[in-house]
Amino acid sequence: GAGVSQSPSNKVTEKGKDVELRCDPISGHTALYWYRQSLGQGLEFLIYFQGNSAPDKSGLPSDRFSAERTGGSVSTLTIQRTQQEDSAVYLCASSRSGRGTDTQYFGPGTRLTVL
Amino acid sequence: TQLLEQSPQFLSIQEGENLTVYCNSSSVFSSLQWYRQEPGEGPVLLVTVVTGGEVKKLKRLTFQFGDARKDSSLHITAAQPGDTGLYLCAGARGDDKIIFGKGTRLHILP
């Protein structure tokens, strides 16, 4: 079956512009996660969705970052007024139910470059 | 606060050598997972361990969960160039909140 997909794969934008990143999780997966990965670094948790609700937004770096999920499926991560420090790979993952023992299936990521 | 410390951060060894990487915490986890990430791709799950003292083998990879469920190790026997990648551990607490370590970047030289 289809895995997690993300679009765009690459995004170059100018400082101050808004960007939207999209994640299509595996069908039927109720849990969806967004992470940020800076060059050569590990994963920084951003936000977790269970269905359309976000019980854990603790990782969002600032109020310029927001995310939503609709229909228990597609999610968009929006970054307003982008800054150069926002440059990173943004990874999305989904899992069947969000339990700690579930496998997280990751997409290939969106590489964001802010000039 | 970094709850999961991975060591070493970087490791470069010759093909055929053995190695061990570690994932340590002062917190107890209900389960722990190891993922491997290759350049340009998302991480892929290698194993999940849930019982203190548990040992799981995956071909040349041996994973151990500490008795107190605060730490884990990954041992690779006779490393091969295909083992190159970023190894991430991820611990789940009782509330199912999942925390990733910063990873060990492994490079196997042919």
Side-chain angles (χ1 to χ4, degrees):
Chain A
V4 177
S5 61
Q6 293 186 245
S7 61
S9 54
N10 280 284
K11 177 71 177 180
V12 180
T13 190
E14 293 181 347
K15 178 181 172 182
K17 296 281 181 70
D18 298 351
V19 296
E20 274 193 2
L21 311 180
R22 177 187 169 108
C23 172
D24 283 86
I26 292 173
S27 178
H29 281 191
T30 62
L32 187 147
Y33 305 81
W34 282 98
Y35 297 93
R36 180 168 69 176
Q37 187 172 36
S38 299
L39 187 63
Q41 299 299 308
L43 301 185
E44 176 187 2
F45 168 80
L46 297 178
I47 189 169
Y48 158 61
F49 285 94
Q50 182 59 251
N52 292 334
S53 301
D56 191 350
K57 304 179 184 179
S58 62
L60 294 177
S62 74
D63 58 7
R64 296 187 296 105
F65 287 71
S66 63
E68 65 174 13
R69 188 179 184 195
T70 56
S73 181
V74 172
S75 177
T76 55
L77 176 68
T78 302
I79 309 173
Q80 295 179 309
R81 305 181 301 282
T82 52
Q83 304 293 312
Q84 288 183 332
E85 61 262 28
D86 299 334
S87 295
V89 174
Y90 289 81
L91 289 162
C92 172
S94 71
S95 71
R96 190 188 308 270
S97 65
R99 294 191 63 185
T101 51
D102 283 355
T103 301
Q104 288 194 40
Y105 295 88
F106 284 82
T110 293
R111 181 175 297 279
L112 175 65
T113 303
V114 182
L115 302 177
Chain B
T1 303
Q2 177 62 32
L3 296 182
L4 271 175
E5 298 282 349
Q6 292 194 243
S7 61
Q9 283 186 282
F10 303 96
L11 184 59
S12 182
I13 64 170
Q14 292 291 138
E15 180 178 1
E17 293 185 356
N18 301 334
L19 65 106
T20 303
V21 297
Y22 301 91
C23 175
N24 295 306
S25 176
S26 57
S27 301
V28 175
F29 292 97
S30 57
S31 63
L32 195 137
Q33 298 176 318
W34 285 90
Y35 289 79
R36 180 170 68 208
Q37 183 180 23
E38 299 186 21
E41 299 180 6
V44 175
L45 180 70
L46 296 174
V47 77
T48 300
V49 285
V50 297
T51 305
E54 181 175 5
V55 176
K56 281 194 174 178
K57 292 192 174 185
L58 185 66
K59 296 184 180 179
R60 294 175 294 99
L61 278 59
T62 302
F63 304 86
Q64 184 163 10
F65 200 12
D67 290 342
R69 290 186 287 127
K70 294 182 178 181
D71 53 80
S72 180
S73 63
L74 159 58
H75 182 79
I76 301 180
T77 304
Q80 298 179 0
D83 297 327
T84 292
L86 178 66
Y87 287 80
L88 295 158
C89 66
R93 300 187 318 207
D95 58 1
D96 284 331
K97 183 177 175 71
I98 298 163
I99 299 165
F100 276 84
K102 291 190 173 184
T104 292
R105 192 164 296 279
L106 177 64
H107 185 55
I108 309 301
L109 303 167

